[in-house]
Amino acid sequence: MTSALLPTYARAKVSFERGEGAWLVARDGSRYLDFGAGIAVNGLGHAHPHLVAALTEQAQKVWHVSNLFEIPEGERFGRRLVDATFADVAFFANSGAEANEAAIKMARKYHAAGGHPERFRVITFEGAFHGRTLATIAAGGQQKYIDGFGPKVDGFDQVPYGDLDALKAAITPETAALMIEPIQGEGGVRVVAPEWLRTLRRVADEHGLLLILDEVQSGVGRTGKLFAYEWSGITPDILSAAKGIGGGFPLGVCLATAEAARGMTAGSHGTTFGGNPLAMAVGNAVLDVVLAPGFLERVRETGLLLKQRLAALKDRHPGVIGEIRGEGLMMGLRLEVPNTEFAAAARDAHLIVIPAGDNVVRLLPPLIVGEAEVGEAVKRLEAAAATFETAARGAAE
Ligand SMILES: *Cc1c(COP(=O)(O)O)cnc(C)c1O
């Protein structure tokens, strides 16, 4: 029977009934090790007891009241995010793209409030992904997402990553901000050198631009810090987060300094659902775990272990795995075989990994994994890699 759903996804032929930690259980009872975490979303794994308790407790009180009223859980969540980061204020949304829309609008409004409404353009970087709304596909600049959807939204200029001359040449009197992912996720787990982030900070300061970091994928503990920018020693003016911050509940946030947010006054932006009590209860519960003493340290340790095991795996299968990339528990394998075929072979070995650009598969396990899961994942990656070598030998004979 044909599906009643819009066919915008090529879905794998498997559906899951429940999850436990790093494992997903399919309808036929078979178990899959989940190193995709719903694309870096289920940071605490599936059915984490603390998150389940927070959600069900809040569900019995009040789900939604709108932003016409005070939401104490949101005040608390915002305060905790501000206290843990560079930011002074938070705006809650429901997704990464919406958090980025808030970030872009805020950067434009910052200059308008300073008497320069003509400064509205944002410079982004090749290979970027910032979401699927009309503005964020223009920001990401990927033709495959832009084509066929009418004129590209104006106000985005893209330059190659790491090219200071190109960056300087792209800055005009209309430029408002620079926007970058500290680690490109969809683009293929391309880690931006901390030195380049420091350069962007300096260039932004020299030209009166705001620096926006898209940490929708790299944030909330994924790299072993609460946010990936902490590795570079700089701070942004605006930061977007989503994916991991709700642990599976749709939630996004735009964080900013008070200065960057100076244009955002009552009525200037809004959302019906953003920051509702259910989302805020879950967000607070995620922070309870991620900010607990030792949690991020453990992510760093497990990330290092994963990186070492992957390097050894690459050495054993140089014809399949070309390069290991990433930071913490945001890792990528750049492949010598088609990445979608490799992801399918991993899935046949009951390991979930996620294809990305540049012929990469991403490993984005729940942050709660330990040595046992890492060992099991590498074993299954080994099985997936071996299928290509057997196939190659078969073809050669
Ligand atoms: C996933 C992602 C987005 C878009 O988030 P949605 O929740 O799908 O709108 C934006 N930026 C980055 C870096 C992402 O990884």
Side-chain angles (χ1 to χ4, degrees), residues 17-37:
E17 199 164 49
R18 63 200 161 81
E20 302 157 2
W23 294 86
L24 278 169
V25 184
R27 287 184 189 276
D28 65 3
S30 58
R31 294 165 66 83
Y32 288 73
L33 183 55
D34 185 7
F35 267 47

Side-chain angles (χ1 to χ4, degrees), residues 39-41 94-100 128-133 136 179-186 214-218 240 242-243 251-252 330 362:
I39 318 183
V41 167
N94 312 287
S95 68
E98 279 179 278
N100 281 335
F129 181 82
H130 297 299
R132 296 292 202 105
T133 62
T136 54
M179 181 169 180
I180 193 167
E181 300 152 79
I183 300 180
Q184 285 187 348
E186 304 301 313
D214 179 346
E215 293 229 31
V216 168
Q217 195 158 154
S218 60
S240 54
K243 294 202 165 92
L251 171 57
M330 182 170 183
R362 280 172 283 178

Side-chain angles (χ1 to χ4, degrees), residues 62-77:
V62 60
W63 292 18
H64 179 85
V65 295
S66 87
N67 287 301
L68 300 174
F69 302 96
E70 290 181 351
I71 300 174
E73 300 85 355
E75 293 285 345
R76 176 161 172 261
F77 187 34

Side-chain angles (χ1 to χ4, degrees), residues 35-385:
F35 267 47
I39 318 183
V41 167
N42 304 104
L44 303 185
H46 300 280
H48 191 290
H50 188 60
L51 268 56
V52 172
L55 184 68
T56 50
E57 265 167 40
Q58 186 60 45
Q60 286 161 25
K61 294 189 207 158
V62 60
W63 292 18
H64 179 85
V65 295
S66 87
N67 287 301
L68 300 174
F69 302 96
E70 290 181 351
I71 300 174
E73 300 85 355
E75 293 285 345
R76 176 161 172 261
F77 187 34
R79 173 63 53 203
R80 294 173 79 190
L81 287 169
V82 160
D83 286 347
T85 65
F86 73 98
D88 301 310
V89 285
F91 177 85
F92 293 113
N94 312 287
S95 68
E98 279 179 278
N100 281 335
E101 290 271 346
I104 294 160
K105 286 179 73 176
M106 184 184 286
R108 290 181 172 191
K109 197 78 169 188
Y110 164 83
H111 291 287
H116 290 283
E118 77 285 0
R119 298 184 71 169
F120 72 100
R121 307 193 70 84
V122 176
I123 295 176
T124 63
F125 296 86
E126 275 175 21
F129 181 82
H130 297 299
R132 296 292 202 105
T133 62
L134 287 169
T136 54
I137 56 174
Q142 302 244 26
Q143 217 52 46
K144 65 178 174 183
Y145 297 142
I146 293 171
D147 280 347
F149 294 110
K152 185 179 151 199
V153 170
D154 192 21
F156 298 95
D157 302 300
Q158 198 156 60
V159 300
Y161 158 69
D163 187 338
L164 185 57
D165 291 335
L167 172 62
K168 284 186 170 163
I171 296 172
T172 74
E174 292 187 340
T175 306
L178 312 177
M179 181 169 180
I180 193 167
E181 300 152 79
I183 300 180
Q184 285 187 348
E186 304 301 313
V189 194
R190 297 203 301 174
V191 181
V192 169
E195 179 52 40
W196 182 242
L197 286 183
R198 290 193 284 271
T199 299
L200 294 185
R201 178 72 272 173
R202 196 185 69 238
V203 169
D205 292 342
E206 279 167 15
H207 295 266
L209 312 174
L210 297 180
L211 179 60
I212 304 171
L213 294 183
D214 179 346
E215 293 229 31
V216 168
Q217 195 158 154
S218 60
V220 196
R222 182 59 45 196
T223 68
K225 299 271 190 190
L226 184 59
F227 289 105
Y229 77 82
E230 296 168 41
W231 292 107
S232 71
I234 59 126
T235 58
D237 302 295
I238 303 174
L239 179 148
S240 54
K243 294 202 165 92
I245 202 164
F249 196 95
L251 171 57
V253 64
C254 175
L255 296 170
T257 64
E259 173 69 6
R262 69 184 179 182
M264 304 302 277
T265 50
S268 61
H269 191 48
T271 161
T272 299
F273 292 118
N276 90 3
L278 277 181
M280 298 297 94
V282 179
N284 272 311
V286 168
L287 280 193
D288 290 343
V289 178
V290 172
L291 295 180
F295 184 87
L296 291 172
E297 198 176 0
R298 212 173 106 83
V299 172
R300 291 196 286 275
E301 285 167 9
T302 311
L304 206 59
L305 178 73
L306 177 62
K307 193 180 244 176
Q308 287 162 351
R309 297 280 177 86
L310 292 175
L313 181 73
K314 168 183 167 294
D315 290 344
R316 290 196 296 275
H317 301 277
V320 180
I321 301 168
E323 188 189 332
I324 309 294
R325 304 168 169 177
E327 202 65 70
L329 290 175
M330 182 170 183
M331 297 302 296
L333 311 180
R334 189 166 187 286
L335 298 167
E336 304 292 338
V337 298
N339 61 347
T340 49
E341 285 176 29
F342 186 90
R347 201 167 56 241
D348 289 344
H350 285 204
L351 173 73
I352 296 171
V353 298
I354 302 187
D358 204 20
N359 204 35
V360 162
V361 294
R362 280 172 283 178
L363 307 180
L364 305 164
L367 307 179
I368 50 147
V369 294
E371 193 173 346
E373 287 89 357
V374 166
E376 193 56 46
V378 171
K379 212 167 91 190
R380 292 170 190 224
L381 288 169
E382 188 112 51

